[in-house]
Amino acid sequence: SSGKPVPASVIVVRYASVPAIVEAPGTVQPRNRITLSSQINGFVREMNVRAGDSVKSGQVLATLDARDAESQKALAQAGVDEAQAALAEARKAYQAAVEKQSAAKAATELAGQTYQRYQKLYESRSVSPQEMDEVKMRRDASAAELAAGESMADAAEERIKQVEARISQAKAQAGRADVLLSWTQIKAPAAGKIVERSVDAGTAIFPGTPLMAIESTSRPQVLADLPTEHAHRLQTGMTVRLLNAQTKESLEGRITEIVPLSNPATHSIQFKVDLPPDVAIPNGQFIKVEIPVGTRNVILVPRQAVRETGQLTGLFVVDSASKARFRLVKTVPYDADNSEVISGIEPGENVLARLSNEITDGTTVEMKP
């Protein structure tokens, strides 16, 4: 329509250089998945949890039959008790031997001195040869008794060492029995969720039998796939934007691990991203990870300039005669304020910066920047 030109804000379309982004599909997954297995032969006495249960660190999840371990523990404890009693006995014997030895030592010294005194008397013919022989015999007998006492004390000391070694051995066996007993209680190694339960009460088990799997619930991660051609863009420690597919909110994460092997079937490489510590997103949730891969040239227009009617999207282009012409274009959302025009417009063209009820197809406009 003709008439007075309508003043309108007009912009010249230009290419803008923006970061090029590749979206890597990812899934929230637990930081750890631990399979708890049996270490002993026997059977399951009781299962305290079901799949889906949340558990605390140290919580008893299952009890295995402990009869074998308990009898081994009782046997080992009996061995310790018996050895302790033997040690007390050996120490008593040693004490008696030491006392006997010191008495023999005193008797030997006395007999030796007596002999020396008699020797002098004998030389001055004051005692008879028979008396001299008796004194010598007493000296030799007490020396022999002292030697016997010494070897008895040595034997008693050796016996103590043997019994102490036996106690160490018995205690080691008791320790092993304690370890066996500890294996009969299956405890949660960390807080998490039971995701799999492989046995029930009464199930026969062997060393290595899987009992259940637990996934940690603290600090989950996103495991994502990126085409191998962009793998060189990934860096450990790099901050990336995450889009929660369900809530549409965007978060920031940090790349913590890059799996060095690519998958030949999908030509992609896997990497892990840490979520912000205060974010609680359930395992299995789909997340898009945005990886910057350089820059690209795009045409951006304000969202207020784009009209969407049904399936049709368009904007007003101002021609050389200052007339507004409605033109169909193809756009995709870029950010909160702008849309990216994929086709239908060329750089250098003038477009209305925002829609107005006064301007329809053919309206003459007075262009303002």
Side-chain angles (χ1 to χ4, degrees), residues 119-134:
Q119 183 78 40
K120 283 181 187 147
L121 290 168
Y122 179 68
E123 282 164 9
S124 63
R125 305 273 193 270
S126 298
V127 293
S128 67
Q130 188 188 349
E131 282 174 301
M132 191 66 211
D133 287 345
E134 276 174 20

Side-chain angles (χ1 to χ4, degrees), residues 5 10-11 316-327 348-351 362-367:
V10 172
I11 50 171
F316 286 97
V317 179
V318 180
D319 64 14
S320 52
S322 294
K323 286 197 182 325
R325 295 291 174 201
F326 187 68
R327 188 185 298 171
E349 293 193 275
N350 295 310
V351 298
T363 303
T364 305
V365 294
E366 183 192 325
M367 291 197 278

Side-chain angles (χ1 to χ4, degrees), residues 53-364:
D53 286 358
S54 292
V55 295
K56 291 198 280 284
S57 177
Q59 186 177 329
V60 178
L61 310 176
T63 312
L64 311 182
D65 180 59
R67 268 174 295 189
D68 188 33
E70 278 163 359
S71 63
Q72 283 198 37
K73 168 76 177 169
L75 207 64
Q77 193 52 54
V80 172
D81 295 346
E82 189 190 328
Q84 297 274 26
L87 181 64
E89 204 60 43
R91 282 191 176 139
K92 222 182 275 175
Y94 175 70
Q95 195 55 44
V98 166
E99 283 165 11
K100 200 170 178 186
Q101 184 188 353
S102 53
K105 199 173 184 185
T108 304
E109 279 170 11
L110 182 65
Q113 286 162 4
T114 307
Y115 176 76
Q116 280 168 352
R117 213 169 54 247
Y118 267 73
Q119 183 78 40
K120 283 181 187 147
L121 290 168
Y122 179 68
E123 282 164 9
S124 63
R125 305 273 193 270
S126 298
V127 293
S128 67
Q130 188 188 349
E131 282 174 301
M132 191 66 211
D133 287 345
E134 276 174 20
V135 170
K136 183 174 183 290
M137 199 168 73
R138 273 207 299 278
R139 183 199 67 173
D140 294 348
S142 56
E145 204 167 316
L146 175 62
E150 276 171 353
S151 61
M152 253 175 81
D154 288 346
E157 199 172 359
E158 188 55 41
R159 169 87 179 127
I160 286 174
K161 283 182 189 158
Q162 286 171 358
V163 176
E164 278 173 344
R166 223 169 85 201
I167 286 177
S168 298
Q169 199 181 355
K171 279 184 174 168
Q173 278 172 341
R176 277 199 294 275
D178 280 337
V179 169
L180 264 181
L181 268 176
S182 74
W183 286 344
T184 63
Q185 278 209 333
I186 306 299
K187 293 180 181 177
K193 198 174 217 162
I194 305 294
V195 288
E196 214 175 277
R197 187 178 119 162
S198 321
V199 293
D200 295 311
T203 306
I205 47 166
F206 310 94
T209 303
L211 306 172
M212 65 192 86
I214 183 170
E215 285 183 353
S216 58
T217 41
S218 63
R219 296 167 59 232
Q221 293 176 308
V222 175
L223 180 67
D225 291 275
L226 186 70
T228 312
E229 66 197 86
H230 299 304
H232 64 285
R233 304 277 183 186
L234 293 177
Q235 276 180 337
T236 310
M238 178 172 154
T239 301
V240 289
R241 208 162 81 102
L242 307 170
L243 289 172
N244 185 334
Q246 200 158 358
T247 62
K248 301 286 181 276
E249 67 176 320
S250 100
L251 309 158
E252 263 196 359
R254 258 181 71 253
I255 295 179
T256 51
E257 192 185 325
I258 299 161
V259 182
L261 294 175
S262 66
N263 181 334
T266 58
H267 302 291
S268 65
I269 193 160
Q270 285 196 322
F271 62 99
K272 289 179 182 176
V273 182
D274 267 1
L275 289 162
D278 50 348
V279 170
I281 301 178
N283 289 338
Q285 177 78 55
F286 182 63
I287 299 276
K288 288 177 186 166
V289 184
E290 292 188 348
I291 305 296
V293 290
T295 56
R296 62 193 181 98
N297 286 332
V298 295
I299 292 175
L300 296 179
V301 294
R303 285 196 167 194
Q304 295 168 306
V306 181
R307 174 181 285 169
E308 290 182 359
T309 46
Q311 296 295 305
L312 304 177
T313 304
L315 25 87
F316 286 97
V317 179
V318 180
D319 64 14
S320 52
S322 294
K323 286 197 182 325
R325 295 291 174 201
F326 187 68
R327 188 185 298 171
L328 294 176
V329 292
K330 222 175 176 180
T331 66
V332 288
Y334 180 74
D335 59 21
D337 303 319
N338 299 290
S339 290
E340 179 187 337
V341 183
I342 295 169
S343 65
I345 202 161
E346 294 299 323
E349 293 193 275
N350 295 310
V351 298
L352 285 189
R354 75 174 65 82
L355 299 171
S356 155
N357 292 335
E358 296 175 64
I359 299 171
T360 55
D361 195 86
T363 303
T364 305

